[in-house]
Every structure is written in C-alpha cells, then in structure tokens.
Amino acid sequence: MDNEILEFDIGLGGGGGGREVDDDAIDIDDEEMADSPSPTSGGAGGGAASSGEIYLPEGDLLDLEPYEGMEFESEEAAKAFYNSYARRVGFSTRVSSSRRSRRDGAIIQRQFVCAKEGFRNLNEKRTKDREIKRPRTITRVGCKASLSVKMQDSGKWVVSGFVREHNHELVPPDLVHCLRSHRQISGPAKTLIDTLQAAGMGPRRIMSALIKEYGGISKVGFTEVDCRNYMRNNRQRSLEGDIQLVLDYLRQMQAENRNFFYAVQGEEDQSMSNVFWADPKARLNFTYFGDTVTFDTTYRSNRYRLPFAPFTGVNHHGQPVLFGCAFLINESEASFAWLFKTWLMAMSGRPPVSITTDHDAVIRSAVTQVFPETRHRFCKWHIFKKCQEKLSHVFLKHPSFEADFHKCVNLTESIEEFESCWLSLVDGYDLRDHEWLQTIYSARRQWVPVYLRDTFFAEMSITQRSDSMNSYFDGYVNASTNLNQFFKLYEKALESRNEKEVKADYDTMNAAPVLKTPSPMEKQASELYTRKLFMRFQEELVGTLTFMASKAEDDGEVITYQVSKFGEDNKPYCVKFNVLEMKATCSCQMFEFSGILCRHVLAVFRVTNVLTLPSHYILKRWTRNAKSSVILEERTSIVYTNYLESHTVRYNTLRHEAFKFVDDGVKSPETYDAAMDALQVAAKKVAHATKSEGKLGTANGAVRRNLAFDGSANRTRDDFEGRSAQQMSEDDMDKRIRELTNELEGANRKCEVYRANLLSVLKDIEDHKLQLSIKVQNIKISMKDGL
C-alpha cells in the first residue's frame, strides 16, 4: 500500500495545491486540546470540525496502523484517522505543534500526539499571584507516541513520522469512551437527552436510560459529566434566545409600579449574563422577615430547563415568602457576587442574619465577599440527597447506614458528641478515606446543626428538614417549564402564596386556639403569637409537664439547672437562669435557632414561679402583629404583665437570698442563733414597712420623680421652698406628702387608662385593616372564580 491515498468521506476539501512544504515556513505550537471533550479544527477546511464532530474511517481502514508515506486527502482526515487508531489502541490524542507558511500563513505541517506527551508547564507568572483552589491531576508523563503529517505540492497530506511506543499503560476498550478525544454526544443521543430533560429527569437517570438504550456505557460514547454539561448549555441557550421576553416583562412591571426593582448584569442591548428582579411586596416582606434568607439554586441539578433562582424566607405563619428572583446564565464567582450585591441594594442594604444555599465552593466565596457578617449555612437536605447518590453502594450494602448517618448529624447534642459519633460512623462502615465524605466533613461547621444552633434560622425545630429550598414555587415552576410559560406560572404562584397567607391571618384572628393548661403564660402566648406559632409553643409548654428541673449550681447571679425527662436516663439539658435579668439559656439553643423557647427553659420558669413570658422572649416576627407598622406587643405586654413580672422578680430575688442565708445559718449553733436574731429584727422591719407604706420614704421618691407632673405639684414645690422645715410640724409634712401621693397615684391611673384605651383603639385599627384585606382577597377570588 505504498503511497496509497486514503480518501475519507468527511466533506473537507484539500488545502490548496502548489505549495512549497519546507520553504519559508514558521514553526508554531498549538494550544492544548485536552480540556475539550472533542477535538477542534486547526487547519484548512476547519469549518466542519468546529462543530465538534469526530470523523471515523470505515471498512478495512479500521484495522490500519499508521506508517510513513501514508497519504490523506486533508489534514482533518489525517487527524481523524489517528484519533480512530488511538481509540482502537486505548489512548487519547491532541494537536501538539504546527508549521505555517511565511508566504500566506497557511498550515503546512501538523504533529498529533498522545495526550500524555510532554509535561505540564507550571507557569509561575500565572499562578504566583493567585491561589489554585482545585489543582488538576497531573496527566502528562512525557510519552513520545505521535504522528506527523506534511502537506504535499498536490495538496495531499503525507505521514512524515510515526512513533508507536507509549511509556504508560493503555486504556482497555470498555473505558476508552472516558478519554477526552473520544467523547462525543451524537445527534440521536442529544434528541433523547432533550426529551428526557423536558420530562424532568436528571443527568444520572438520563445516563441510565442511555446505557440501557445503547447496550452499555462504552457504546454510549460519552460520560455523565458530558451529559451534565450538555444539559447546562441547553438551559442557558433556552434563556439567551428569548431574553427579550424577560426584559419586556420587567420593564412593564416597573412602569406599573416605580417600586418594582430589576437589574441586568451588563448592558441590556448586549449579550447578558444575569437578571434579577424584586417586586414591591417582596421588598416589603424583607423588612418584616429578612432576618434569615434562602438562596435556592435547585435548577443546577440540571433537571430544570430554566436557570431560575429565587431568594426566599419564612413569614410569621411559618410559610415561605419571596424576597426576589434571578435568571442566571453565567455561574462564575463574579456573577454570584454581582447578584448578591444587587439583591442587597434592592433590600435597602440590610444584610440578613443568616443565609442558606446549596453546598458549592463558588457560592460560598461570593457569600463571604458580599455578606461577611452573615452566617452561611449549606442546605442539609441537599447534602443528604447527594449522600444517597455518592454512597449508593453503602446504602445498598448496609441498610442501617442511613439511620446511623441521620442520628450522627441530627441527634447529637454537642460538638464533642458529633465528632465522636462521626468517627465511629466512618470507621464502622470503612469510609474514612471516602473523598466526598471528607469534603463534607471539612465543611461541617456550615451544615451540621450542632455547629449552627447559636444562630437564628427561623426553623420550628433543630431536626426538621429544611425545605428543599424550591418549595415556594412547587407545583408551578418545574423541570419542563419554558420561558414562554414562566411568567404566567410565576404570577399564579405569587397569588397562591398570598391567598394562603391571608387564610392564615384569618384563622389567627377568628379561631381562638384551645388552651390546654391554666397557665397565664399559655394565655399570653395565644394572644400574641400567630396560630401556627402558638401551637408550636404550646407543644413545648405542655412538654414541660414530663420534665424535672433540679438546681445544680448557684454562683450568686446565675443559677444552673439540670433538666431531664422523668423516667429517662439520657444526658440532662443544662439551663442557666439569671433571676435578676429574667434571662435563661439552654444547652439545646432552640430559642437562638428558632426564636421559640424550649421546654427545658419553660420547665425552669415553672419551678421558679415565672408566670408569663418576659418580653425579650417574644420575637415580633412570630407575632400576629409582625407586619404592623404600630409596635403594639411590647407595650401591651407591659400593661398585661407589669404586676406579674415585677412580683416574680421580687419573689425570686428574695427566695434566692433567703436560701443563701439558710445555708450559712445552719452551719453551727452560733450561726443559727445569729440568723434567728437577724430574722426577728428583719420581721419587725418588714411589718413596720408594711404599715408605713406610702409614707415618707416612698412619697419622697415619688415626689422627686414626679414633682413637676401638673400645676398642683408646681404649687406644692413653691410652698416647700417658701417655708422652712422648722416651721412645719412632722404631722403637717406627712399629711401633705400623703395628699401629693394620692394625687400622683390618681394621675398614674388616668394615664394607664388613657394608654390602655389608645392601645385598644390602635389594635382595633390594625384588626380592621386586616379584616378589610381579607375581604378584598375574598372578593378577588370570587371574581376570578366567576370569570
């Protein structure tokens, strides 16, 4: 077959004839092609190759081995033949170097090499100023295998050099599809992927279907990574083609309401990367419930055709509430940083206390940059779901693994307990060296609850599943939603969520909850919290009946209690209670995490005679007045609990001091006698103070504080200044002080009545506004049903 010309039907013409091969030539190096799943063109007739096709010879040519003198119709035909040979043998190829003609710049010589040829060029200039976050695996080992071709005067290409030997192991036939130069998604495969993606299937399930369809992974011709990339590109193209629809909608909404906010990264008339918008209701909701935020990137699972990412939160009924939305075409760190900065600007520059996102290094970097003071949490639900994928073989082999993993993450009470449990888990199932488990363990402070309980995330309990983040649009936006359908479904979702909130408001205002105890605290909570939150608080309050609180330590200011469930030997919870400040903290940290007091603190309140919730334990965001512009609950709480709280503080303080007095007094007969004498003296003083209540000491304090209260008090001050103490008898002074005290008490009672009446009027106004809102929504629903 000497000098035989191999013709490939690839639709590529020769590169022109009559050229001198070696005269006036320039040597050049081509860029590596190892980063691309399929080879790209590099010379004459390269237009077809740029589409990413791989050209395969047919018939007897499949078994040929390259040899010097072999001729081809074009450079692309030579490259396709060598790549086909490489697939058969078991290695990947790339273009290494070229020579161009000085005369017209056309390529006249090419060298195709094994992908493991040479060594990686560690360019210090490129890397010294930046940290390499994920260094690539070393793949080049100095392999010499290659094929060199030159252009003839006739326009044909001839093999001028061939090196067969490799210095590394070759890939077996069942794995050759993983090599970069042999990976390509065919037309029929693309059609099937498009169909299955529209049906809501993710890349893993699609690959399973393709393997079954083609009869094995090696016959599919590409990997799951290629499938994911293709689906991602599909998603981006679906938005790029119709981006004008998005802009037209956003401009219309802003024209209708000036408080509608939207922003585009880049110029609107140019190729755009990301779009963000927030309607007036979303911006207003953030002022009420913006303490914790979830950034939902569920679309990145590749099931979704649209790159749609909402910002959501939780309202006072525990329902999801919207804070804005984005379409993300570009997913670089800079793009996420732009999005977070834009969202923050739309929310008046007030960062949240906490934010929850998917587990992603790029998003984490952007959050750190834009929200340096915000606590960043990874969605635990997504990590659990990913665990089922990454450890599917463990789940199948060990049915108990899932329960043990859940127990380790959700049920451990301290950092030390979690660390010990995790070590036992990975050792028990021989997973200490599992790469993915090591990755999530290194990020444990951002997703394991025991590390996050000191921060508010508005969850009803520590062990509950944080919503799959896309819950706001569940039932409306799904995997098959395209851009033409999106905004209608988006508006339906907003309307549905608004109706559910109105219904919850109505139930709270018109359906009084059933009280289960005679506790004043339960009655107080039922009048302050929304119905949903009260029921959650009621669970904790009723739960205290099975818990016992015993004093463990008293340092003079803070009393430490051990709280445990009756009849159980579990480790007790530790509650520290400051009697004077009426503040308690529990080792479970439920209040810090969810804003609702736990049963352990409530059990301590029960044994210490705290009858009502102190005002600092009632978060406005959980109350029925959460969205009220009038701050009612604090003043109402003061009016409602003023006597009970002040009495409780006095009671607890006296009892605390009395216990210390008793402990010291019983140490010996001498201290006992001294203590009894002191008690008798104290009893006489208390009796005298009780009889003299309202006289000199109390009245003088009241006069000093309220002397200028009205004209009567001013006249009294003049009287006191005009007469000397020697001229006034003690009886006259006492009589005058009693008169002033009575006037002051009467004025205070009037003020309390006026304030109570004013609060009542304001509350009636708020209730009336809410009822009108409910009526308006009901009318809208009736009109819609009628249409």
Side-chain angles (χ1 to χ4, degrees), residues 99 106 386 544 692-693:
R99 298 185 74 197
K386 182 68 71 175
T544 64
S692 304
E693 186 177 3

Side-chain angles (χ1 to χ4, degrees), residues 99 210 229 421-422 425 435 458 465 513 538 591 697 760 767:
R99 298 185 74 197
L210 287 167
N229 291 339
C421 188
W422 181 272
L425 182 77
E435 184 178 354
R465 171 198 141 180
Q538 191 179 54
F591 180 76
S760 177
D767 291 346

Side-chain angles (χ1 to χ4, degrees), residues 89-106:
V89 174
F91 67 97
S92 183
T93 66
R94 59 184 173 84
V95 178
S96 175
S97 62
S98 306
R99 298 185 74 197
R100 292 185 181 272
S101 170
R102 294 181 183 274
R103 193 174 303 166
D104 57 9

